[in-house]
Amino acid sequence: MTRRGLRFGLLGVPVLFDGDPGDARPGEDGCAGAVRSIGSPKMRTLLAALLLDAGRVVSVEALKDAMWGGAPPASAQPSLHNHVARLRRLLDDPERLVTVPTGYVLRVGEGELDVQVFDARTAAARAAHARRDWERVVHECTAALALWRGTPLAGLPAEVGGYALVRRLREARLLLLEWRYDAELALDGGRLAGLVPELAALAAEYPLREGYHRQLMLALHRTGRQAEALVVHRDLRARLVEELGVEPGRAVREAHVEVLRGSGEGAGDEGPGGSEGSGGSACPEGLAGVGGHSGGPGVPVSSSGVAGVSEAAGVPGVPGVPGDGVSGGPGGPGDRGGAGGAGEGGVAGDGGGGSGPAAGVSAVPRPAQLPPPPAHFTGRTDVRDELLRVLTRRPRPAVPAVAVISGTAGVGKSALALHVAHMLAERFSDGQLHIGLHGATPGTAPLTPAQALTALLRDLGTAPRDIPEHPASAAALLRSLLAPTRTLLVLDDAVNAAQVRPLLPAGTGCAVIVTSRSPLAALDGAARFPLGPLSGEESAALLRAASGRDRLDAGHPLVALTGRLPLALRIVAARLAARRALTPDVLAGQLSAADSRLSHLEYDDLSVRRSLAVALDALAASDREADRDAALALCRIGALDLPGYGVPLLARLIGTDEPRAEAALDRLVDVALMEETAYGRYVPHDLVRDFARERAAAAAAADADADADGTGGDPS
């Protein structure tokens, strides 16, 4: 049994908290008991590395890298065992630190790690801030800030990792301070004069963070120091214009109007000064790549409590994640937007923070971009359940769940992704984004990362003029927008990992489903789900559902003739549904008698041949030698038409050496035109084999025409 009095601390130097078993419950304002410092740097490193992956296996190699900086000495293994034994004695609980075959697992209960309690308090503060429950905001913010002992993971070597977690927690602390000051300004409980020195220090430390300057202006003004409040605004505006070329955001402008009008009652119960957030500007340690301005143009920021605040600032009952510089999200960003930029979702007050939307300003709706679910989705039960498990499991710090569904053309990748995405839609309450990356769209070039980033940012309400031109800055802005939200991204038809990587969020509340012909092996941390053809029973069920022909079973010839490929099955079913006089047996006879089944596997905008041609044509047009070799190899394979192929045979077919032939075959496997059924043995899918035969015949005919032209009159 674990001791309830034991707690773990990462919000500062890693420590243990120990107390009596009944001292505190998980989620109380602080950690129970006294701090038990860990004197040995190696022990602190070991504890932190295990806590960063609490409840999961941390490999021996990962622990060695963390403790010895990637260059462990010869004695690292026994030394690690000794440190683990010492840590077990400190923990005084044999069930806490468990040895598994590949490493160690540190078991941490809910609420036993200060970061967990801090996150829970931050989420509660966010929700209370959105409801303008100011007393609750003060309580939750104070409780969360009381856990802070200094820079998280302080004193640890860089090899431990956790940089993204530290950055997130630092930004969350700054937001908690802003929310608490918002609440204290709204409550006006006699502490306004005491807020001034605190806010002055924060404004000086974070000279581009508009929220603290706005709050300082209001605190000065409401304590009778109007001239000083105007100086704060003047200095902030000059700094923003000179350094960044932007004007202060709406909330600062509204606070300025309040000061100029000489009224200290503008906020009232609606909140302390405006519709825009306290997270209006980035601190120096904010996210890189957003122009040093995390609340900059197009970035949703935390609400100041004005009526009509976006749900993304914190929805009661929705688990929250501290954001990387923003507390808004795609549920309705309160874009600071410069002078009335697009996407402003708050309330354009008159200096007093009105209660209704301003004319001409509309909130960006919560994205719900998923196309309709597939009408006749069939089978894939095991892979569907595993996808749901991966996408809903407890995330690692600052790492969203990412699943890659891969397979050949027409195998049903997009259908499975949409089927699962719709099942998860309610879980991701801040919205669902869907973008087609055109990795294998006939007649369309794949989107560049910059194009995809622009599309996603516009979908999240960022005005076009506020989207950074540099892709790295645009990617950082996207991460900032998504960090505090629970958003599901479906990235359909990716061409490679480089196209996907800049689009991935950093917030643990998000999840991503990627579909691609390639397994995207270079995409670190992703769970991979390679799809093969359907089973015979699943194929027959899809045929029956889509065609309306009830007597088709797994033994019908159409099942085998379509290669059990969902796209081919849908085409056959569409032809049967369109022509009731066409019987399944007649259609099966047509497919069997044809030189190539592909001519019969086209209907309307559905075509197996066209889907396969995209991948092959992209290989043939590539600048990479391996890609061009792969295109040539597929044509030669079609001419020979054997059950399977090996590297030596293919090297002779394309007239090259074996390493180059193996690279060509690997590329064909990567784009799902071949399958490596055993090491060194490559087999094409039945319909890919038909496609290869067609291409080989076309190449032979072209060669014959060229020869004929040459003998007829080639001057050489």
Side-chain angles (χ1 to χ4, degrees), residues 69-157:
S75 61
Q77 190 85 8
S79 179
L80 174 61
H81 290 163
N82 290 337
H83 282 92
V84 168
R86 291 171 58 196
L87 181 57
R88 280 200 176 104
R89 288 195 294 271
L90 273 178
L91 297 175
D92 195 21
D93 184 346
E95 296 183 14
R96 281 285 187 186
L97 183 52
V98 181
T99 303
V100 296
T102 58
Y104 300 93
V105 178
L106 180 60
R107 294 174 175 171
V108 177
E110 190 68 32
E112 291 186 328
L113 176 62
D114 58 1
V115 173
Q116 296 174 347
V117 182
F118 182 82
D119 284 350
R121 290 292 186 183
T122 303
R126 178 184 291 110
H129 191 277
R131 298 193 305 268
R132 301 184 299 284
D133 183 352
W134 302 119
E135 291 184 357
R136 185 69 179 177
V137 170
V138 171
H139 173 75
E140 296 293 349
C141 290
T142 302
L145 292 167
L147 297 168
W148 195 267
R149 293 177 292 107
T151 301
L153 305 177
L156 296 180

Side-chain angles (χ1 to χ4, degrees), residues 595-596 598 609 612-613 616 630-642 645 668 673-674 684-700:
D595 292 335
S596 172
L598 300 182
R609 179 191 285 119
L612 293 171
L616 183 64
L632 176 60
L634 191 67
C635 292
R636 298 293 167 84
I637 284 169
L640 199 57
D641 199 16
L642 295 175
Y645 301 86
L668 289 173
L673 291 174
M674 296 280 280
H685 183 274
D686 287 349
L687 296 180
V688 175
R689 192 184 299 276
D690 280 3
F691 176 70
R693 279 197 294 261
E694 283 189 0
R695 283 301 179 103

Side-chain angles (χ1 to χ4, degrees), residues 454-474:
T454 297
L456 289 171
L457 289 170
R458 293 188 68 170
D459 290 342
L460 291 175
T462 307
R465 70 175 182 274
D466 295 333
I467 296 174
E469 293 183 6
H470 196 282
S473 299

Side-chain angles (χ1 to χ4, degrees), residues 171-481:
E171 187 59 38
R173 174 178 172 269
L174 295 176
L175 283 174
L176 287 164
L177 288 168
E178 292 181 18
W179 295 339
R180 190 180 71 182
Y181 290 128
D182 275 348
E184 291 179 329
L185 284 167
L187 292 170
D188 194 7
R191 208 175 84 83
L192 284 181
L195 297 184
V196 171
E198 298 174 22
L199 286 167
L202 286 168
E205 185 176 1
Y206 305 108
L208 296 178
R209 196 171 189 108
E210 294 182 34
Y212 294 144
H213 290 78
R214 175 181 58 80
Q215 292 165 337
L216 177 58
M217 289 167 57
L218 294 174
L220 287 167
H221 168 54
R222 294 175 188 178
T223 53
R225 300 162 69 176
Q226 183 184 34
E228 293 173 76
L230 292 172
V231 169
V232 171
H233 178 269
R234 181 199 65 192
D235 292 346
L236 172 65
R237 181 178 181 276
R239 188 179 302 114
L240 292 176
V241 171
E242 290 173 8
E243 295 186 18
L244 302 175
V246 298
E247 291 285 341
R250 176 190 294 173
V252 172
R253 298 197 303 272
E254 291 175 358
H256 186 222
V257 170
E258 178 182 323
V259 176
L260 289 172
R261 289 184 174 180
S263 168
E265 301 175 355
D269 293 333
E270 295 299 330
S275 63
E276 183 199 354
S278 10
S281 298
C283 57
E285 63 210 16
L287 292 174
V290 195
H293 204 124
S294 84
V299 182
V301 290
S302 59
S303 165
S304 298
V306 179
V309 63
S310 125
E311 289 184 355
V315 182
V318 177
V321 180
D324 288 349
V326 290
S327 70
D335 180 5
R336 76 180 290 282
E344 293 183 336
V347 177
D350 57 359
S355 59
V361 177
S362 60
V364 176
R366 181 180 70 100
Q369 298 182 342
L370 296 178
H376 304 294
F377 186 82
T378 304
R380 310 287 193 199
T381 304
D382 292 343
V383 68
R384 179 200 64 196
D385 292 345
E386 181 63 13
L387 267 167
L388 291 171
R389 187 190 70 79
V390 165
L391 294 169
T392 58
R393 68 188 175 193
R394 184 177 176 182
R396 295 174 59 191
V399 179
V402 180
V404 177
I405 304 172
S406 62
T408 192
V411 81
K413 304 179 291 294
S414 298
L416 175 60
L418 286 177
H419 180 70
V420 170
H422 278 280
M423 295 179 71
L424 294 173
E426 291 187 4
R427 181 181 182 90
F428 293 93
S429 51
D430 288 315
Q432 307 86 43
L433 292 165
H434 180 280
I435 184 169
L437 299 176
H438 301 303
T441 303
T444 304
L447 291 187
T448 65
Q451 290 170 329
L453 285 166
T454 297
L456 289 171
L457 289 170
R458 293 188 68 170
D459 290 342
L460 291 175
T462 307
R465 70 175 182 274
D466 295 333
I467 296 174
E469 293 183 6
H470 196 282
S473 299
L477 177 54
L478 180 66
R479 291 192 297 271
S480 298
L481 292 174

